[in-house]
Amino acid sequence: MKKFIRIISVTLCMLLCFSMVQLPAAAATTARYELPFEVNARAYVLASLDTGEIIFEKNSNERYDPASLTKLLTAYTTYKYVEDFEGTKVTAPRYVYDELFGMNSSTADIRQGEILSVKDLMYAMLLPSANEAASILADYIGNGDITNFCMMMNNEARKLGCKNTNFTNAHGLFTDNHYTSAYDMYLIAKACYNTPGFMDIVTTNTYYMPANIKHASEYPIQNTNKMQVRTSPYYRSYVKGMKTGTLDYNNFVCVCQQNGENYIMVVLGADFSNNENRPAMVTTAEIMDYFFDSYSLRSANTLTFPVTEVGLKYAKDTDTLLLYADNEVMSILPNDADESSFQKVYNLPEYVGAPINAGDVIGTVDYYLAGQKVGTSQLVSHDTIQRSTVMFLVGKFQEAYQSLYFRVVLAVTFVLFTIYLIYTYSQYRKHEKMQKVHRRRR
């Protein structure tokens, strides 16, 4: 018996210790649709910037090395801490080059001791993916301490809602405890997209770095995003900027715009195979070509026609009130689907009473697609409806007549009246009997 108790005790202790270990948790991200074919990527996310929907995803909350996609968060953090990009001058410190020496990493040929504006450094970091530019910015904003800058980066990532991101350098060249997820990278890219001035940088194909201490004249730097370069075999007209990232595998984030629709595509961990130099761009093209051929942004409702109606009381000429949606709800639909694909759940009273003013909110309608809620509209009156005094009085009388209180009062009154009649009749009969007795005595 004692041996059995010891076994149970040890087992419980092991379970308790295991439960205290915090394992990386990856909450599921629900995609609207499933990609019907396999692509070369460990993880990906396609999301709508117009609706916030996740359209396709694979392993979107798993942690992977971001490589130079790190520089998107470096750029975003720079925007948070530097106001004047052109007027702020930064000197390239020596120790940055000690860190990168012998790495054969991407560069914009910025030399030790050169003085550049933050604007020049941002172009250098985001176009040719210059690692020295990222570290120079991190050193400046972190007050001479890149580790301090990384803490600032991670803090900004947490503010954006990133749960699977931790950066230990500003460029992504080193991978020790340095990771992100496809979904987190979508959040970072979306924040960059919404930052004024950022898209002007990443949609530039060629930028001229100024003459400097070690450069007698200005010199060009090129964007590594070949999907927006017309002469490139990877070119797609819908790609409008963002960032590449390469170590032993290929990453890519881009903004895709077509027919007034806006999307962010994230590809992580595309393997180099078949002598392909930019496999993440190939994967991006496969997914986005299929998507634009098969899906589009559609409206779940209309603003020009009534959505539904509700019963109306106290009005003279009508007993229904037409209701209109106050906003357009959009969602991604297959091209062969229509508005009937949306399910509507109404939150409305059985009826309303006049007077009603145009624009009065009467209720709401929730829109669902394949069981997922895609939006809500308030339902408002399009017209002003005056109250009829006669209809109001008649209606109130009908309401009173139909109310439980009125019926209880009526029933009690009937019972009391009946008792009164019985009592009156009994008194009358008693009086009659007394009259007969009195006459006999005479």
Side-chain angles (χ1 to χ4, degrees):
M1 183 67 179
K2 290 182 179 180
K3 182 178 180 181
F4 176 75
I5 292 174
R6 282 198 298 271
I7 293 173
I8 294 296
S9 300
V10 170
T11 302
L12 289 174
C13 288
M14 291 176 65
L15 289 173
L16 179 61
C17 292
F18 181 78
S19 67
M20 293 175 67
V21 176
Q22 293 186 347
L23 298 175
T29 297
T30 303
R32 180 73 66 210
Y33 303 103
E34 185 174 343
L35 198 64
F37 52 85
E38 293 295 323
V39 294
N40 178 12
R42 300 180 188 181
Y44 58 77
V45 163
L46 172 60
S48 169
L49 285 166
D50 302 307
T51 68
E53 294 172 279
I54 304 299
I55 302 161
F56 301 132
E57 72 87 29
K58 174 186 174 183
N59 299 331
S60 59
N61 288 296
E62 297 295 325
R63 296 172 176 178
Y64 297 99
D65 297 330
S68 283
L69 298 187
T70 301
K71 292 161 185 160
L72 291 177
L73 188 56
T74 301
Y76 180 74
T77 305
T78 300
Y79 272 103
K80 287 293 182 178
Y81 287 90
V82 179
E83 293 184 2
D84 183 4
F85 277 22
E86 293 198 39
T88 303
K89 304 297 182 180
V90 181
T91 301
R94 176 177 178 176
Y95 80 94
V96 164
Y97 298 90
D98 294 338
E99 176 193 47
L100 299 174
F101 181 77
M103 299 295 294
N104 192 31
S105 65
S106 53
T107 178
D109 198 33
I110 300 170
R111 308 294 180 85
Q112 174 188 339
E114 288 192 324
I115 301 173
L116 298 103
S117 68
V118 169
K119 176 184 175 182
D120 294 330
L121 291 168
M122 289 286 279
Y123 273 91
M125 177 177 68
L126 293 172
L127 268 60
S129 198
N131 291 316
E132 76 274 23
S135 291
I136 292 167
L137 285 169
D139 170 79
Y140 173 74
I141 298 170
N143 292 319
D145 187 346
I146 293 179
T147 301
N148 183 45
F149 178 79
C150 292
M151 294 174 61
M152 298 161 73
M153 291 173 72
N154 291 325
N155 185 51
E156 294 300 328
R158 284 191 293 271
K159 290 179 184 178
L160 295 175
C162 298
K163 299 181 185 299
N164 293 291
T165 294
N166 185 73
F167 289 167
T168 56
N169 58 77
H171 42 63
L173 189 59
F174 311 125
T175 61
D176 186 25
N177 201 32
H178 190 90
Y179 53 81
T180 191
S181 68
Y183 183 77
D184 283 4
M185 191 51 61
Y186 151 67
L187 295 178
I188 294 167
K190 181 172 69 170
C192 289
Y193 173 84
N194 290 322
T195 299
F198 176 85
M199 293 302 295
D200 293 335
I201 297 177
V202 294
T203 54
T204 299
N205 288 331
T206 303
Y207 180 79
Y208 285 86
M209 296 291 286
N212 216 306
I213 298 174
K214 303 294 178 66
H215 294 88
S217 61
E218 65 177 14
Y219 60 98
I221 54 175
Q222 307 294 330
N223 200 323
T224 58
N225 178 6
K226 300 306 177 184
M227 290 195 78
Q228 66 183 26
V229 178
R230 290 182 178 274
T231 56
S232 167
Y234 302 98
Y235 175 73
R236 289 294 188 277
S237 60
Y238 51 71
V239 172
K240 306 296 182 183
M242 211 54 94
K243 190 73 187 71
T244 60
T246 301
L247 285 173
D248 296 329
Y249 40 82
N250 200 214
N251 301 332
F252 187 52
V253 175
C254 66
V255 172
C256 299
Q257 298 175 327
Q258 186 165 288
N259 300 325
E261 302 172 17
N262 305 280
Y263 302 92
I264 284 181
M265 182 75 227
V266 178
V267 175
L268 297 183
D271 294 323
F272 291 99
S273 58
N274 301 322
N275 296 319
E276 178 53 62
N277 292 325
R278 295 179 172 85
M281 292 186 186
V282 173
T283 296
T284 296
E286 290 174 347
I287 294 174
M288 294 309 303
D289 287 352
Y290 165 76
F291 172 76
F292 282 128
D293 285 343
S294 307
Y295 297 86
S296 58
L297 184 63
R298 313 279 279 283
S299 176
N301 59 2
T302 176
L303 302 182
T304 55
F305 296 99
V307 176
T308 188
E309 62 183 32
V310 68
L312 177 64
K313 300 197 302 184
Y314 317 141
K316 182 179 180 181
D317 299 320
T318 181
D319 59 359
T320 58
L321 179 67
L322 298 179
L323 301 178
Y324 290 72
D326 72 333
N327 67 300
E328 191 173 22
V329 173
M330 308 293 291
S331 187
I332 307 300
L333 277 181
N335 289 338
D336 57 0
D338 57 26
E339 187 179 323
S340 63
S341 301
F342 295 98
Q343 297 81 47
K344 301 172 185 176
V345 177
Y346 294 99
N347 306 292
L348 286 170
E350 183 179 352
Y351 56 82
V352 292
I356 298 292
N357 294 317
D360 282 355
V361 178
I362 307 301
T364 61
V365 56
D366 297 325
Y367 298 92
Y368 291 83
L369 184 62
Q372 297 180 39
K373 186 176 179 180
V374 297
T376 299
S377 290
Q378 290 186 324
L379 296 174
V380 300
S381 170
H382 183 268
D383 302 311
T384 296
I385 308 296
Q386 300 297 331
R387 182 167 67 187
S388 166
T389 303
V390 173
M391 297 299 294
F392 176 73
L393 294 175
V394 170
K396 285 299 181 182
F397 177 78
Q398 291 175 338
E399 289 176 16
Y401 179 76
Q402 294 173 358
S403 69
L404 178 62
Y405 175 77
F406 180 83
R407 293 180 181 182
V408 170
V409 170
L410 186 63
V412 171
T413 302
F414 176 77
V415 170
L416 292 176
F417 182 71
T418 302
I419 293 172
Y420 171 76
L421 290 177
I422 294 172
Y423 174 77
T424 302
Y425 180 73
S426 67
Q427 290 297 313
Y428 172 76
R429 294 289 296 169
K430 183 178 180 181
H431 179 71
E432 284 293 313
K433 288 180 180 181
M434 291 179 65
Q435 288 291 336
K436 288 180 180 180
V437 170
H438 182 66
R439 282 196 294 270
R440 289 194 192 107
R441 287 178 178 177
R442 282 184 175 182

